[in-house]
Every structure is written in structure tokens, then in C-alpha cells.
Amino acid sequence: MKLVFEIEPVEQARPRATRMGRGIRLYDPKKVSVYKKQLAMMCQLQYKNDPVTGPLKVELTFFRHIQSSISKKECELRLSGSHRPVVKPDTDNYVKSTLDGLNGLLWEDDNQIVDLIAHKYYSDNPRIEVEVKKIGND
């Protein structure tokens, strides 16, 4: 199955902490929390089935915006895929926030993912493409 989410990718940031009595409560920063909620809502609109079970292969392609302060030539190179984003945020931080946002919706838990491929590109249409394949017999 392949799904496309028309949303700007957001990286997983370090959790924030607050004291609650004698304990400490950890929570996502607001930007990450909003992203995960929006991603979940978009997923629910596109995918109406139960979460997939068993081992999975997941391929994620992140398309991030192009800065407006670059030359026209550089913009064309980025749009063609010749120049890829080798800047922060890191690809693995995009992966973490996205997998967490889709937990319980596309798959029961992201611990089912045994093969993972991730790509990061520039685009004038920021989005996330998610492809999920079941592995073996389940």
C-alpha cells in the first residue's frame, strides 16, 4: 500500500519535561505534537482498514520545502533531485516522528517494521510518501 500525506515533514525533537508532584512527565514539543495529530487525521481519511499485522517493510520519502533565498539555478538542481538536502533536520528524526504518528493506524506498533528505507528530497510541494509491504506469511 502507498499513501501520500500533503504535509510538511517535522522532525522528532527532544522531549520536554515538567514536574508533576514527585514525578516527571515527558511530552513532545508543540510543533511535533501538532504534526503527529495532523498526520494521524490524514491517515484516517485515506486508510480505513485495520492496522496491518506481522513483519513489515516500510519506505518513507520526505519532500521538504526549498528555501526562497537560493538562486534560480540552485532551485532547479534541487527540484530535479540533483542536489539533495544534506542539512538538518536529520532523516532519522523525520522517520521517528512519522512512524510514531502512524502507530496504531497503518500498523499496530512500529516494532513490526523489520526493513526500513528513508529518502529526503527538496520539493515545491512538501509531502510524505509512505509505502508499506507485508513480509512473509501472516
Side-chain angles (χ1 to χ4, degrees):
M1 108 181 81
K2 185 170 184 177
L3 300 170
V4 178
F5 301 107
E6 302 288 336
I7 185 173
E8 177 86 28
V10 172
E11 73 278 10
Q12 179 67 48
R14 295 194 187 279
R16 304 292 187 252
T18 184
R19 288 186 187 267
M20 292 193 69
R22 294 181 182 210
I24 295 176
R25 178 181 153 260
L26 296 176
Y27 61 95
D28 281 329
K30 185 173 183 173
K31 181 179 174 182
V32 178
S33 178
V34 167
Y35 167 74
K36 288 179 183 179
K37 287 175 186 168
Q38 288 176 334
L39 189 61
M41 287 190 318
M42 293 172 135
C43 182
Q44 290 169 331
L45 290 173
Q46 289 186 52
Y47 183 74
K48 307 285 186 192
N49 299 324
D50 290 333
V52 181
T53 59
L56 303 173
K57 175 182 181 178
V58 174
E59 186 166 357
L60 301 168
T61 307
F62 301 98
F63 294 89
R64 55 173 286 169
H65 73 280
I66 299 172
Q67 299 88 329
S68 57
S69 61
I70 60 170
S71 70
K72 190 172 182 178
K73 182 178 179 181
E74 178 61 24
C75 184
E76 290 170 7
L77 289 169
R78 290 180 181 192
L79 284 174
S80 72
S82 295
H83 285 187
R84 304 266 302 270
V86 290
V87 295
K88 291 190 181 289
D90 301 349
T91 306
D92 63 321
N93 290 328
Y94 280 151
V95 169
K96 183 66 180 149
S97 62
T98 302
L99 295 183
D100 284 352
L102 298 173
N103 253 353
L105 300 169
L106 287 184
W107 44 75
E108 291 177 338
D109 192 273
D110 55 7
N111 64 9
Q112 296 169 245
I113 301 169
V114 296
D115 288 333
L116 178 64
I117 301 167
H119 313 275
K120 186 168 66 167
Y121 291 95
Y122 287 111
S123 176
D124 52 7
N125 176 30
R127 66 192 181 280
I128 303 161
E129 296 178 0
V130 180
E131 189 167 357
V132 180
K133 293 181 183 173
K134 239 179 144 157
I135 296 177
N137 302 334
D138 185 77

